[in-house]
Amino acid sequence: MLVPALLVLLFCLRGHAGLSPHFLQQPDDLVALLGDEARLPCALGEYWGLVQWTKDGLALGGERDLPGWSRYWISGNAASGQHDLYIRPVELEDQASYECQATQAGLRSRPAQLHVLVPPEAPQVLGGPFVSLVAGIPANLTCRSRGDARPIPELLWFRDGIRLDGTSFHQTLLKEGTTGSVESILSLTPSSHDDGATLVCRARSQALPSGKDTAITLSLQYPPVVTLSAEPQTVLEGEKVTFLCQATAQPPVTGYRWAKGGSPVLGARGPMLEVVADASFLTEPVSCEVSNAVGSANRSTALDVQFGPILQARPEPMSVDVGEDASFSCAWRGNPLPRVTWTRSGDAQVLGSGPTLRLPSVGPEDAGDYVCRAEPGLSGLGGGAAEARLTVNAPPVVTALHSAPAFLRGPARLQCLVFASPAPDAVVWSWDEGFLEAGSRGRFLVETFPVPEGREGQGPALISVLHISGTQESDFSRGFNCSARNRLGEGGTQVSLGRRDLLPTVRIVAGVASAAMTLLMVIIGVTLCCWHHGKASFSKQKNLVRIPGSSDGSSSRGPEEETGSSEDRGPIVHTDHSDLVLDEERALETKDPTNGYYKVRGVSVSLSLGEGPGGGLFLPPPSPLGHPGTPTFYDFNPHQGMVPPCRLYRARAGYLTTPHPRAFTSYSKPTSIGPPDLAPRTPPFPYAAFPIPSHPRLQTHV
């Protein structure tokens, strides 16, 4: 109770003595950078006593130089009441609460908080200063600030002075109230364009507003960046085109691969490809794939190939009923697009243009083939036509076919031709007393069979045949109806049976027989003529041709065989013909037709003689050899190669014969008169005998 009372007393006395001590200036909170100077002001009025400063309640001392605190001192004009506290250099331990106190007056200033700021150090980027990344693959860049920076610094990323977004902040605590490090992570997906780019990580705070920077350079590994070009880009079909594939890559390119329409082009390995353009290049682009150690890239391009029309879809045949609409469609591909026209087969009139032809309310006359045509392109290639048939379904069309006339009571055949689409349900023959669709009935039989090719657009064709066995008079006067029906209606025609008389046939047969007889008589006459001429030439002489080298003596005659009348005896001519060949050994030993009465033998001879004027047997001119009055003989050697006058002669055993191959003649007994005198250079016969005249005995012909 004593102290309060003293204070009250002192206050009362001061009020009576004058003004009391007071603060003219009190210290405020202060922020100072580490290492800088800090000043805390304090001014007192009406006080000349002891002044001291406290730090966090601890008195620093009453002296002005504050011994024991080397970096602390009190400055100012004490007489005027100025007592400022200075700290230099400011350290982290200086951060505290400070008061200015007038101890003798019992005054204390308000507390002033000194905040010491520590500027951040330059940050560190992990992996820097050159950071290697792969283009297209997401990556994280880490920027880290270490030290006791106060306040905690802010880490920012910049590129070309522009702040980058997409960062995350991370702080590591060392102990309570302090931080060990601060990290900032930048997430990015680099591209090939980022190769060589510079990124900056900046650490800034209140202690260092401008911040401190650390720069890094990006080194990008990236797959090839490809550009593909074609020269020329627009080309006619059949021309050459060159493709060029260029690429930039890090690391360098290791290979090229070419493809067309997704299929590899075999043998293409380098950056250039040469091809011959065709229509497929318009829809199947060419691609170039370039690869390196990081990856690969692909680029493709399509050519503007100009080509002629190519048929893609043919028009389909159609079958419609009468009165309905019909339409055809076809598709042509070309560059530029081809002009498509429609015509009827065999007609140049254009019915329409474009891929579709429409025919409203068709009739039977519209049936037939329709042509979809495309003109050739600029190159002159391509183009063409495609046909499709329109079948108009209508009632059957029945036509009578020609039927041959028939004999009374003989067989007959009637025919009709049926065109129908759809195919007829039945073809029926009818007459006065009945009808028949198929099979037989009495004298009638019906057969129906298809025709290989029907009429254009009329559908398949049928031929129906009505067979009649044993025709009657009524069959030639009545009419036979051939009719057919389908779901659209019925059609028919009448067929009549023609009659054939017997008399003209008899006349024809008689004429043919007469002509045949006449021809036969002519042939017989010609044969007799040839035979007569052959006999006239040789009947009065016996010519014997001996085959050289024969040893059987068949060419000789005995005296009993050669006796006869001197009038019938002709010359016996023995000649040497090397071109005559003996058919068989016994050909000369033929039977005597008189059974030995006249002792004659049949002779079969072949000799090629010429035909003289008038059709007679040609004989060579008489030889001038011999004495006058001697019988004439003939030299046949120059005429051995002549064609025989009549085909009735044929080769036998080498003897001159009469026209018939087996002829018999009379023989005369020869009288030797000696060999003739031969002219110079006249080829002699091997031997010759000249018979003397004799009386005829008997002559027999076979």
Side-chain angles (χ1 to χ4, degrees), residues 623-656:
S623 175
L625 302 178
H627 302 284
T630 60
T632 305
F633 69 93
Y634 297 89
D635 182 7
F636 291 96
N637 283 331
H639 306 281
Q640 291 180 9
M642 297 179 63
V643 180
C646 183
R647 295 290 182 181
L648 297 177
Y649 293 99
R650 63 172 182 260
R652 285 295 179 180
Y655 292 93
L656 184 62

PDB file of all heavy atoms in Angstrom, residues 623-656:
ATOM      1  N   SER A 623       6.894 -99.196-190.524  1.00  0.00           N
ATOM      2  CA  SER A 623       8.347 -99.104-190.636  1.00  0.00           C
ATOM      3  C   SER A 623       8.770 -99.341-192.073  1.00  0.00           C
ATOM      4  O   SER A 623       8.251-100.206-192.771  1.00  0.00           O
ATOM      5  CB  SER A 623       9.000-100.145-189.724  1.00  0.00           C
ATOM      6  OG  SER A 623      10.369-100.133-189.931  1.00  0.00           O
ATOM      7  N   PRO A 624       9.734 -98.600-192.596  1.00  0.00           N
ATOM      8  CA  PRO A 624      10.215 -98.778-193.987  1.00  0.00           C
ATOM      9  C   PRO A 624      11.129 -99.973-194.145  1.00  0.00           C
ATOM     10  O   PRO A 624      11.732-100.154-195.207  1.00  0.00           O
ATOM     11  CB  PRO A 624      10.942 -97.482-194.241  1.00  0.00           C
ATOM     12  CG  PRO A 624      11.428 -97.026-192.903  1.00  0.00           C
ATOM     13  CD  PRO A 624      10.386 -97.469-191.930  1.00  0.00           C
ATOM     14  N   LEU A 625      11.249-100.773-193.119  1.00  0.00           N
ATOM     15  CA  LEU A 625      12.170-101.912-193.212  1.00  0.00           C
ATOM     16  C   LEU A 625      11.567-103.025-194.053  1.00  0.00           C
ATOM     17  O   LEU A 625      10.354-103.227-194.070  1.00  0.00           O
ATOM     18  CB  LEU A 625      12.493-102.422-191.800  1.00  0.00           C
ATOM     19  CG  LEU A 625      13.109-101.378-190.831  1.00  0.00           C
ATOM     20  CD1 LEU A 625      13.328-102.009-189.472  1.00  0.00           C
ATOM     21  CD2 LEU A 625      14.387-100.842-191.399  1.00  0.00           C
ATOM     22  N   GLY A 626      12.439-103.814-194.644  1.00  0.00           N
ATOM     23  CA  GLY A 626      11.997-105.028-195.371  1.00  0.00           C
ATOM     24  C   GLY A 626      11.835-104.790-196.861  1.00  0.00           C
ATOM     25  O   GLY A 626      11.862-103.675-197.365  1.00  0.00           O
ATOM     26  N   HIS A 627      11.676-105.909-197.581  1.00  0.00           N
ATOM     27  CA  HIS A 627      11.510-105.834-199.039  1.00  0.00           C
ATOM     28  C   HIS A 627      10.097-105.495-199.376  1.00  0.00           C
ATOM     29  O   HIS A 627       9.162-105.735-198.597  1.00  0.00           O
ATOM     30  CB  HIS A 627      11.880-107.209-199.666  1.00  0.00           C
ATOM     31  CG  HIS A 627      13.291-107.607-199.305  1.00  0.00           C
ATOM     32  ND1 HIS A 627      14.392-107.036-199.895  1.00  0.00           N
ATOM     33  CD2 HIS A 627      13.762-108.527-198.432  1.00  0.00           C
ATOM     34  CE1 HIS A 627      15.483-107.596-199.400  1.00  0.00           C
ATOM     35  NE2 HIS A 627      15.126-108.510-198.488  1.00  0.00           N
ATOM     36  N   PRO A 628       9.916-104.894-200.551  1.00  0.00           N
ATOM     37  CA  PRO A 628       8.545-104.607-200.998  1.00  0.00           C
ATOM     38  C   PRO A 628       7.751-105.909-201.043  1.00  0.00           C
ATOM     39  O   PRO A 628       8.213-106.933-201.488  1.00  0.00           O
ATOM     40  CB  PRO A 628       8.748-104.007-202.386  1.00  0.00           C
ATOM     41  CG  PRO A 628      10.129-103.446-202.375  1.00  0.00           C
ATOM     42  CD  PRO A 628      10.926-104.382-201.504  1.00  0.00           C
ATOM     43  N   GLY A 629       6.504-105.762-200.596  1.00  0.00           N
ATOM     44  CA  GLY A 629       5.617-106.924-200.611  1.00  0.00           C
ATOM     45  C   GLY A 629       5.643-107.734-199.349  1.00  0.00           C
ATOM     46  O   GLY A 629       4.828-108.626-199.181  1.00  0.00           O
ATOM     47  N   THR A 630       6.594-107.432-198.490  1.00  0.00           N
ATOM     48  CA  THR A 630       6.641-108.165-197.215  1.00  0.00           C
ATOM     49  C   THR A 630       5.660-107.529-196.248  1.00  0.00           C
ATOM     50  O   THR A 630       5.346-106.350-196.344  1.00  0.00           O
ATOM     51  CB  THR A 630       8.054-108.128-196.626  1.00  0.00           C
ATOM     52  OG1 THR A 630       8.418-106.773-196.410  1.00  0.00           O
ATOM     53  CG2 THR A 630       9.041-108.770-197.543  1.00  0.00           C
ATOM     54  N   PRO A 631       5.178-108.291-195.327  1.00  0.00           N
ATOM     55  CA  PRO A 631       4.205-107.725-194.361  1.00  0.00           C
ATOM     56  C   PRO A 631       4.825-106.578-193.568  1.00  0.00           C
ATOM     57  O   PRO A 631       6.010-106.550-193.263  1.00  0.00           O
ATOM     58  CB  PRO A 631       3.890-108.913-193.454  1.00  0.00           C
ATOM     59  CG  PRO A 631       4.249-110.110-194.261  1.00  0.00           C
ATOM     60  CD  PRO A 631       5.380-109.726-195.134  1.00  0.00           C
ATOM     61  N   THR A 632       3.931-105.675-193.235  1.00  0.00           N
ATOM     62  CA  THR A 632       4.384-104.483-192.482  1.00  0.00           C
ATOM     63  C   THR A 632       4.440-104.790-190.996  1.00  0.00           C
ATOM     64  O   THR A 632       3.580-105.477-190.459  1.00  0.00           O
ATOM     65  CB  THR A 632       3.403-103.330-192.717  1.00  0.00           C
ATOM     66  OG1 THR A 632       3.286-103.113-194.113  1.00  0.00           O
ATOM     67  CG2 THR A 632       3.889-102.053-192.040  1.00  0.00           C
ATOM     68  N   PHE A 633       5.425-104.276-190.338  1.00  0.00           N
ATOM     69  CA  PHE A 633       5.423-104.358-188.863  1.00  0.00           C
ATOM     70  C   PHE A 633       5.572-102.942-188.319  1.00  0.00           C
ATOM     71  O   PHE A 633       5.989-102.024-189.009  1.00  0.00           O
ATOM     72  CB  PHE A 633       6.565-105.263-188.347  1.00  0.00           C
ATOM     73  CG  PHE A 633       7.949-104.674-188.548  1.00  0.00           C
ATOM     74  CD1 PHE A 633       8.522-103.935-187.533  1.00  0.00           C
ATOM     75  CD2 PHE A 633       8.648-104.863-189.737  1.00  0.00           C
ATOM     76  CE1 PHE A 633       9.783-103.413-187.721  1.00  0.00           C
ATOM     77  CE2 PHE A 633       9.889-104.329-189.899  1.00  0.00           C
ATOM     78  CZ  PHE A 633      10.480-103.594-188.899  1.00  0.00           C
ATOM     79  N   TYR A 634       5.237-102.807-187.061  1.00  0.00           N
ATOM     80  CA  TYR A 634       5.176-101.459-186.439  1.00  0.00           C
ATOM     81  C   TYR A 634       6.156-101.367-185.273  1.00  0.00           C
ATOM     82  O   TYR A 634       6.343-102.313-184.523  1.00  0.00           O
ATOM     83  CB  TYR A 634       3.751-101.183-185.925  1.00  0.00           C
ATOM     84  CG  TYR A 634       2.729-101.149-187.036  1.00  0.00           C
ATOM     85  CD1 TYR A 634       2.117-102.347-187.406  1.00  0.00           C
ATOM     86  CD2 TYR A 634       2.418 -99.992-187.680  1.00  0.00           C
ATOM     87  CE1 TYR A 634       1.185-102.332-188.430  1.00  0.00           C
ATOM     88  CE2 TYR A 634       1.480 -99.977-188.688  1.00  0.00           C
ATOM     89  CZ  TYR A 634       0.855-101.142-189.068  1.00  0.00           C
ATOM     90  OH  TYR A 634      -0.056-101.116-190.058  1.00  0.00           O
ATOM     91  N   ASP A 635       6.696-100.219-185.220  1.00  0.00           N
ATOM     92  CA  ASP A 635       7.624 -99.944-184.115  1.00  0.00           C
ATOM     93  C   ASP A 635       6.853 -99.188-183.017  1.00  0.00           C
ATOM     94  O   ASP A 635       6.462 -98.035-183.209  1.00  0.00           O
ATOM     95  CB  ASP A 635       8.801 -99.116-184.622  1.00  0.00           C
ATOM     96  CG  ASP A 635       9.813 -98.859-183.527  1.00  0.00           C
ATOM     97  OD1 ASP A 635       9.642 -99.452-182.425  1.00  0.00           O
ATOM     98  OD2 ASP A 635      10.736 -98.057-183.746  1.00  0.00           O
ATOM     99  N   PHE A 636       6.642 -99.859-181.889  1.00  0.00           N
ATOM    100  CA  PHE A 636       5.872 -99.237-180.788  1.00  0.00           C
ATOM    101  C   PHE A 636       6.743 -98.555-179.741  1.00  0.00           C
ATOM    102  O   PHE A 636       6.234 -97.990-178.794  1.00  0.00           O
ATOM    103  CB  PHE A 636       5.022-100.307-180.069  1.00  0.00           C
ATOM    104  CG  PHE A 636       3.905-100.825-180.924  1.00  0.00           C
ATOM    105  CD1 PHE A 636       4.038-101.990-181.655  1.00  0.00           C
ATOM    106  CD2 PHE A 636       2.718-100.119-180.984  1.00  0.00           C
ATOM    107  CE1 PHE A 636       3.011-102.458-182.429  1.00  0.00           C
ATOM    108  CE2 PHE A 636       1.682-100.605-181.754  1.00  0.00           C
ATOM    109  CZ  PHE A 636       1.813-101.777-182.494  1.00  0.00           C
ATOM    110  N   ASN A 637       8.032 -98.651-179.888  1.00  0.00           N
ATOM    111  CA  ASN A 637       8.901 -98.079-178.842  1.00  0.00           C
ATOM    112  C   ASN A 637       8.679 -96.592-178.582  1.00  0.00           C
ATOM    113  O   ASN A 637       8.642 -96.144-177.445  1.00  0.00           O
ATOM    114  CB  ASN A 637      10.368 -98.330-179.191  1.00  0.00           C
ATOM    115  CG  ASN A 637      10.757 -99.773-178.891  1.00  0.00           C
ATOM    116  OD1 ASN A 637      10.194-100.385-178.012  1.00  0.00           O
ATOM    117  ND2 ASN A 637      11.712-100.303-179.658  1.00  0.00           N
ATOM    118  N   PRO A 638       8.532 -95.764-179.662  1.00  0.00           N
ATOM    119  CA  PRO A 638       8.352 -94.321-179.368  1.00  0.00           C
ATOM    120  C   PRO A 638       7.030 -94.032-178.711  1.00  0.00           C
ATOM    121  O   PRO A 638       6.797 -92.921-178.290  1.00  0.00           O
ATOM    122  CB  PRO A 638       8.466 -93.673-180.732  1.00  0.00           C
ATOM    123  CG  PRO A 638       9.123 -94.668-181.609  1.00  0.00           C
ATOM    124  CD  PRO A 638       8.698 -95.998-181.092  1.00  0.00           C
ATOM    125  N   HIS A 639       6.099 -94.997-178.655  1.00  0.00           N
ATOM    126  CA  HIS A 639       4.743 -94.689-178.157  1.00  0.00           C
ATOM    127  C   HIS A 639       4.412 -95.429-176.874  1.00  0.00           C
ATOM    128  O   HIS A 639       3.248 -95.579-176.533  1.00  0.00           O
ATOM    129  CB  HIS A 639       3.710 -95.075-179.232  1.00  0.00           C
ATOM    130  CG  HIS A 639       3.992 -94.433-180.567  1.00  0.00           C
ATOM    131  ND1 HIS A 639       3.670 -93.131-180.838  1.00  0.00           N
ATOM    132  CD2 HIS A 639       4.599 -94.930-181.683  1.00  0.00           C
ATOM    133  CE1 HIS A 639       4.030 -92.833-182.091  1.00  0.00           C
ATOM    134  NE2 HIS A 639       4.610 -93.915-182.621  1.00  0.00           N
ATOM    135  N   GLN A 640       5.454 -95.859-176.184  1.00  0.00           N
ATOM    136  CA  GLN A 640       5.149 -96.645-174.983  1.00  0.00           C
ATOM    137  C   GLN A 640       4.551 -95.796-173.871  1.00  0.00           C
ATOM    138  O   GLN A 640       3.838 -96.293-173.026  1.00  0.00           O
ATOM    139  CB  GLN A 640       6.420 -97.327-174.475  1.00  0.00           C
ATOM    140  CG  GLN A 640       6.903 -98.422-175.390  1.00  0.00           C
ATOM    141  CD  GLN A 640       8.166 -99.078-174.847  1.00  0.00           C
ATOM    142  OE1 GLN A 640       8.545 -98.819-173.739  1.00  0.00           O
ATOM    143  NE2 GLN A 640       8.780 -99.933-175.651  1.00  0.00           N
ATOM    144  N   GLY A 641       4.845 -94.508-173.851  1.00  0.00           N
ATOM    145  CA  GLY A 641       4.339 -93.675-172.754  1.00  0.00           C
ATOM    146  C   GLY A 641       3.022 -93.012-173.020  1.00  0.00           C
ATOM    147  O   GLY A 641       2.570 -92.182-172.241  1.00  0.00           O
ATOM    148  N   MET A 642       2.336 -93.331-174.155  1.00  0.00           N
ATOM    149  CA  MET A 642       1.081 -92.676-174.496  1.00  0.00           C
ATOM    150  C   MET A 642      -0.053 -93.204-173.637  1.00  0.00           C
ATOM    151  O   MET A 642      -0.035 -94.336-173.176  1.00  0.00           O
ATOM    152  CB  MET A 642       0.756 -92.894-175.974  1.00  0.00           C
ATOM    153  CG  MET A 642       1.793 -92.281-176.926  1.00  0.00           C
ATOM    154  SD  MET A 642       1.391 -92.575-178.638  1.00  0.00           S
ATOM    155  CE  MET A 642      -0.137 -91.702-178.756  1.00  0.00           C
ATOM    156  N   VAL A 643      -1.062 -92.362-173.423  1.00  0.00           N
ATOM    157  CA  VAL A 643      -2.220 -92.734-172.614  1.00  0.00           C
ATOM    158  C   VAL A 643      -3.099 -93.667-173.402  1.00  0.00           C
ATOM    159  O   VAL A 643      -3.366 -93.431-174.579  1.00  0.00           O
ATOM    160  CB  VAL A 643      -3.010 -91.471-172.212  1.00  0.00           C
ATOM    161  CG1 VAL A 643      -4.216 -91.845-171.383  1.00  0.00           C
ATOM    162  CG2 VAL A 643      -2.091 -90.512-171.456  1.00  0.00           C
ATOM    163  N   PRO A 644      -3.587 -94.720-172.816  1.00  0.00           N
ATOM    164  CA  PRO A 644      -4.447 -95.648-173.562  1.00  0.00           C
ATOM    165  C   PRO A 644      -5.728 -94.964-173.973  1.00  0.00           C
ATOM    166  O   PRO A 644      -6.217 -94.065-173.297  1.00  0.00           O
ATOM    167  CB  PRO A 644      -4.699 -96.772-172.559  1.00  0.00           C
ATOM    168  CG  PRO A 644      -4.443 -96.178-171.233  1.00  0.00           C
ATOM    169  CD  PRO A 644      -3.385 -95.168-171.445  1.00  0.00           C
ATOM    170  N   PRO A 645      -6.287 -95.389-175.154  1.00  0.00           N
ATOM    171  CA  PRO A 645      -7.474 -94.700-175.685  1.00  0.00           C
ATOM    172  C   PRO A 645      -8.707 -94.973-174.872  1.00  0.00           C
ATOM    173  O   PRO A 645      -9.662 -94.241-174.967  1.00  0.00           O
ATOM    174  CB  PRO A 645      -7.610 -95.270-177.094  1.00  0.00           C
ATOM    175  CG  PRO A 645      -7.004 -96.627-176.985  1.00  0.00           C
ATOM    176  CD  PRO A 645      -5.864 -96.488-176.033  1.00  0.00           C
ATOM    177  N   CYS A 646      -8.757 -95.967-174.078  1.00  0.00           N
ATOM    178  CA  CYS A 646      -9.985 -96.313-173.361  1.00  0.00           C
ATOM    179  C   CYS A 646      -9.626 -96.800-171.975  1.00  0.00           C
ATOM    180  O   CYS A 646      -8.635 -97.498-171.785  1.00  0.00           O
ATOM    181  CB  CYS A 646     -10.762 -97.400-174.117  1.00  0.00           C
ATOM    182  SG  CYS A 646     -12.342 -97.800-173.329  1.00  0.00           S
ATOM    183  N   ARG A 647     -10.432 -96.408-170.980  1.00  0.00           N
ATOM    184  CA  ARG A 647     -10.154 -96.793-169.609  1.00  0.00           C
ATOM    185  C   ARG A 647     -10.357 -98.275-169.371  1.00  0.00           C
ATOM    186  O   ARG A 647     -10.068 -98.784-168.305  1.00  0.00           O
ATOM    187  CB  ARG A 647     -11.059 -95.999-168.654  1.00  0.00           C
ATOM    188  CG  ARG A 647     -10.797 -94.515-168.653  1.00  0.00           C
ATOM    189  CD  ARG A 647      -9.473 -94.218-167.999  1.00  0.00           C
ATOM    190  NE  ARG A 647      -9.230 -92.784-167.943  1.00  0.00           N
ATOM    191  CZ  ARG A 647      -8.141 -92.255-167.434  1.00  0.00           C
ATOM    192  NH1 ARG A 647      -7.210 -93.071-166.978  1.00  0.00           N
ATOM    193  NH2 ARG A 647      -7.979 -90.962-167.408  1.00  0.00           N
ATOM    194  N   LEU A 648     -10.871 -99.014-170.394  1.00  0.00           N
ATOM    195  CA  LEU A 648     -11.117-100.429-170.184  1.00  0.00           C
ATOM    196  C   LEU A 648      -9.837-101.237-170.207  1.00  0.00           C
ATOM    197  O   LEU A 648      -9.798-102.380-169.784  1.00  0.00           O
ATOM    198  CB  LEU A 648     -12.078-100.966-171.238  1.00  0.00           C
ATOM    199  CG  LEU A 648     -13.472-100.328-171.206  1.00  0.00           C
ATOM    200  CD1 LEU A 648     -14.308-100.878-172.340  1.00  0.00           C
ATOM    201  CD2 LEU A 648     -14.134-100.592-169.888  1.00  0.00           C
ATOM    202  N   TYR A 649      -8.783-100.694-170.740  1.00  0.00           N
ATOM    203  CA  TYR A 649      -7.489-101.378-170.720  1.00  0.00           C
ATOM    204  C   TYR A 649      -6.889-101.264-169.345  1.00  0.00           C
ATOM    205  O   TYR A 649      -6.927-100.234-168.723  1.00  0.00           O
ATOM    206  CB  TYR A 649      -6.529-100.747-171.752  1.00  0.00           C
ATOM    207  CG  TYR A 649      -6.958-100.967-173.186  1.00  0.00           C
ATOM    208  CD1 TYR A 649      -7.639 -99.986-173.888  1.00  0.00           C
ATOM    209  CD2 TYR A 649      -6.656-102.181-173.812  1.00  0.00           C
ATOM    210  CE1 TYR A 649      -8.040-100.185-175.192  1.00  0.00           C
ATOM    211  CE2 TYR A 649      -7.055-102.377-175.124  1.00  0.00           C
ATOM    212  CZ  TYR A 649      -7.749-101.387-175.809  1.00  0.00           C
ATOM    213  OH  TYR A 649      -8.130-101.589-177.097  1.00  0.00           O
ATOM    214  N   ARG A 650      -6.269-102.323-168.844  1.00  0.00           N
ATOM    215  CA  ARG A 650      -5.571-102.261-167.572  1.00  0.00           C
ATOM    216  C   ARG A 650      -4.360-103.183-167.616  1.00  0.00           C
ATOM    217  O   ARG A 650      -4.287-104.099-168.447  1.00  0.00           O
ATOM    218  CB  ARG A 650      -6.497-102.643-166.411  1.00  0.00           C
ATOM    219  CG  ARG A 650      -7.040-104.052-166.425  1.00  0.00           C
ATOM    220  CD  ARG A 650      -7.774-104.297-165.104  1.00  0.00           C
ATOM    221  NE  ARG A 650      -8.287-105.670-165.049  1.00  0.00           N
ATOM    222  CZ  ARG A 650      -9.538-105.985-165.305  1.00  0.00           C
ATOM    223  NH1 ARG A 650     -10.377-105.031-165.684  1.00  0.00           N
ATOM    224  NH2 ARG A 650      -9.947-107.241-165.214  1.00  0.00           N
ATOM    225  N   ALA A 651      -3.451-102.959-166.715  1.00  0.00           N
ATOM    226  CA  ALA A 651      -2.192-103.708-166.713  1.00  0.00           C
ATOM    227  C   ALA A 651      -2.431-105.163-166.374  1.00  0.00           C
ATOM    228  O   ALA A 651      -3.138-105.488-165.446  1.00  0.00           O
ATOM    229  CB  ALA A 651      -1.230-103.092-165.704  1.00  0.00           C
ATOM    230  N   ARG A 652      -1.831-106.045-167.152  1.00  0.00           N
ATOM    231  CA  ARG A 652      -1.884-107.487-166.897  1.00  0.00           C
ATOM    232  C   ARG A 652      -0.496-108.074-166.992  1.00  0.00           C
ATOM    233  O   ARG A 652       0.450-107.453-166.543  1.00  0.00           O
ATOM    234  CB  ARG A 652      -2.828-108.162-167.899  1.00  0.00           C
ATOM    235  CG  ARG A 652      -4.304-107.903-167.571  1.00  0.00           C
ATOM    236  CD  ARG A 652      -4.691-108.555-166.237  1.00  0.00           C
ATOM    237  NE  ARG A 652      -6.068-108.303-165.914  1.00  0.00           N
ATOM    238  CZ  ARG A 652      -6.634-108.751-164.822  1.00  0.00           C
ATOM    239  NH1 ARG A 652      -5.932-109.454-163.969  1.00  0.00           N
ATOM    240  NH2 ARG A 652      -7.898-108.483-164.575  1.00  0.00           N
ATOM    241  N   ALA A 653      -0.399-109.225-167.701  1.00  0.00           N
ATOM    242  CA  ALA A 653       0.864-109.968-167.635  1.00  0.00           C
ATOM    243  C   ALA A 653       1.873-109.546-168.665  1.00  0.00           C
ATOM    244  O   ALA A 653       2.842-110.229-168.872  1.00  0.00           O
ATOM    245  CB  ALA A 653       0.569-111.450-167.789  1.00  0.00           C
ATOM    246  N   GLY A 654       1.649-108.421-169.356  1.00  0.00           N
ATOM    247  CA  GLY A 654       2.686-107.951-170.273  1.00  0.00           C
ATOM    248  C   GLY A 654       2.410-108.285-171.714  1.00  0.00           C
ATOM    249  O   GLY A 654       3.318-108.216-172.522  1.00  0.00           O
ATOM    250  N   TYR A 655       1.150-108.703-172.110  1.00  0.00           N
ATOM    251  CA  TYR A 655       0.814-108.972-173.508  1.00  0.00           C
ATOM    252  C   TYR A 655      -0.164-107.952-174.001  1.00  0.00           C
ATOM    253  O   TYR A 655      -1.036-107.480-173.264  1.00  0.00           O
ATOM    254  CB  TYR A 655       0.211-110.380-173.654  1.00  0.00           C
ATOM    255  CG  TYR A 655       1.204-111.475-173.392  1.00  0.00           C
ATOM    256  CD1 TYR A 655       1.345-112.028-172.132  1.00  0.00           C
ATOM    257  CD2 TYR A 655       2.030-111.911-174.426  1.00  0.00           C
ATOM    258  CE1 TYR A 655       2.261-113.016-171.887  1.00  0.00           C
ATOM    259  CE2 TYR A 655       2.954-112.924-174.175  1.00  0.00           C
ATOM    260  CZ  TYR A 655       3.069-113.460-172.922  1.00  0.00           C
ATOM    261  OH  TYR A 655       3.978-114.435-172.684  1.00  0.00           O
ATOM    262  N   LEU A 656      -0.029-107.606-175.270  1.00  0.00           N
ATOM    263  CA  LEU A 656      -0.971-106.689-175.912  1.00  0.00           C
ATOM    264  C   LEU A 656      -2.297-107.409-176.058  1.00  0.00           C
ATOM    265  O   LEU A 656      -2.371-108.503-176.589  1.00  0.00           O
ATOM    266  CB  LEU A 656      -0.432-106.269-177.291  1.00  0.00           C
ATOM    267  CG  LEU A 656      -1.279-105.232-178.033  1.00  0.00           C
ATOM    268  CD1 LEU A 656      -1.327-103.944-177.236  1.00  0.00           C
ATOM    269  CD2 LEU A 656      -0.682-104.988-179.412  1.00  0.00           C
TER     270      LEU A 656
END
